[in-house]
Amino acid sequence: MEENMFGKKEGFDPDYDLKLEESLAKNEYPAQKIAQANASEHTSLCAKMCTQEVWNKYKDVKSSGPAKWTLARAVNSGISYPESFVGCHAGDKESYDDFSDFFYPVIEAYHEGFSMKEGSKLEGTPSERMNPNKISVDLTSSAEEKIVSTRIRVARNLSMFPLNPGGTKESREKIADLMAKVYAKIDTDSDLAGDFHLHTKMSDDERQALIDGHFLFRGKDRMQAASGYHEHWPHGRGVYLNKDKTFVNWVNEGDHLRIISMEMGGDVKSVFSRLSAGAKAIEDGVREISGEEEVFTMHPKFGAVTCCPSNIGTGMRGSVHILVPKLIETIGFEEIDRLCRERNCQARGSTGEHSEVIDRIDVSNWRRIGFPEYELVEDMIKCANFLAEEEDKL
Ligand code: ADP
Ligand code: MG
């Protein structure tokens, strides 16, 4: 059997295959799984909003966009894994409106305070709002000492392609081809200049080193696999890295693009400023090569369209990796996360979403919509300051 870099023939690796949950595969209402999720303390937005009424309304509907998305596909990860928090995905931009009785309540529940009726009233463009001079709070010296690294990313999708859960091997490869051209045009003197590496051409060792350095997605996330993110793996997947590995782009992990700025230490403004310049360079580059005026998929009500409703809007997640060993020991990760949530932030494990705490904790803004990017960065700074202060009390 021909083996790919993950040791399995593409399409045969059970960790990457898309499997529909039993009832969903028959296009039947997954009543038992939904009841199970709703009975647990953990809130699954997918289970909560996928009521029998919503199911009956949409079960035979296909989205009007290129993915011909269905409710069964949209809810598969949350129904397969009732412990997921959001658990649903759009296959194309149209899915959000075509299944509005399902997606709008999910959006409003996740992005508390945001109303789909009113929509987002943010002023200016993302690059205007990603102005480091607008950040009005600083990290305390105590927080700064505890910060290992800072990373801010935006999720973006390209308007000429379906979102990846509804994409094909061909659409993924076309995206990678387009991005290769965009990267090749970045001025070699610029500090954004670097190289694009395709997963199909990377060795296992190279890939692992990038994952260990926090530069690359781990893959093999079962919830992501259930959304269809991992289909046709590893085709069309890649990572762009500038020379210092401070400007990074993920291509086709889940969203078409994750535009990332990161560096060691806690210079949040420097990271934010590079992100702003980098995101603009990518947008301009895609516009020039594709000839499309609207480069990134945008929704009139909420802004950037992403596969997961948690990321819509600004698509921005700013995080610091912070060392608070005494706090972890005394109150534990769950309680730290709860305290972060009270501050419009979230805690993740040491290697990202759904990971364990090894040493550091990833603290990031929870909200992504209705607030300018610089305010979301301020949420993160304030939360890091708070955790540092709590650590110092122990
Ligand atoms: P995203 O929301 O961007 O998908 P994930 O939680 O999936 O983030 O994590 C992606 C990767 O980014 C992981 O390797 C994670 O450890 C890394 N990462 C996140 N925040 C930071 C940070 N502040 N410094 C260094 N690496 C980070
Ligand atoms: Mg992720």
Side-chain angles (χ1 to χ4, degrees), residues 16 207 211 217-222 224 230 233 253:
Y16 287 89
R207 177 179 153 270
I211 293 174
F217 45 88
R218 293 189 310 266
K220 290 210 179 194
D221 179 313
R222 62 201 176 111
Q224 293 195 350
H230 291 339
W233 191 275
E253 178 228 17

Side-chain angles (χ1 to χ4, degrees), residues 309-324:
S310 68
N311 279 320
I312 61 163
T314 61
M316 198 196 87
R317 190 174 84 88
S319 67
V320 287
H321 272 176
I322 188 164
L323 295 170
V324 283

